[in-house]
Amino acid sequence: MNHWLMKSEPSVFGIDDLARAPRRRTLWDGVRNYQARNFMRDMRLGDEVFFYHSNCAEPGIAGVMRVVREAYPDPTQFDKNDPHFDPRSKPDDPRWSVVDLEFVKKFDAVVALSKLREVDALETMRILQRGNRLSVTPVSNKHWKKICSLAGEKT
DNA sequence: GCCAACGTTGGC
DNA sequence: GCCAACGTTGGC
């Protein structure tokens, strides 16, 4: 099983929104970056994903979700009324993908970005690198376990 | 193929 | 709100 991290702005869609969603599931739409898309296409059923809150008062990791459907075409790319509409994308040759994710747990407290930066063992994490903007990134087993322990969770 | 201009991300 | 870093676009 592989591990991942996905960013979302809590003012748009945060972990509480996922916990309240029907069947506690959502499709992760609106990704419009090729590298991030390619990572989503590598996700497999059962993979676990950190839910990262970005662009907010306390950026950091808020909890965990799980992949419950592997990549398929993002419906918003074909919807003229959606902000993520992509006129260059054709139904027989879609550019953008989504995966379905299910709520697993919310951490008792957000593991803050500032905290992650203090931990030597996490130095090489992708989201901690300078200028990083990717909204979907892989997380190594070592980093996954470390962050779970920071969150006070057993692995 | 180069690269300047532009739009977006996201921490602070 | 600021601004650095980055990806994309489009003229040449």
Side-chain angles (χ1 to χ4, degrees), chain A residues 52-66:
Chain A
Y52 180 91
H53 282 174
S54 66
N55 207 6
C56 56
E58 196 189 20
I61 298 171
V64 177
M65 44 197 177
R66 179 189 295 120

Side-chain angles (χ1 to χ4, degrees), chain A residues 84-102:
Chain A
H84 298 294
F85 175 64
D86 185 347
R88 299 164 304 180
S89 195
K90 302 289 168 248
D92 56 350
D93 184 24
R95 285 185 184 217
W96 306 112
S97 301
V98 292
V99 293
D100 284 358
L101 297 165
E102 179 180 60

Side-chain angles (χ1 to χ4, degrees), chain A residues 115-129:
Chain A
K115 179 68 188 173
L116 298 176
R117 290 197 188 285
E118 288 172 7
V119 181
D120 288 345
L122 299 177
E123 218 174 16
T124 56
M125 261 194 96
R126 196 113 182 201
I127 56 155
L128 302 183
Q129 305 312 305

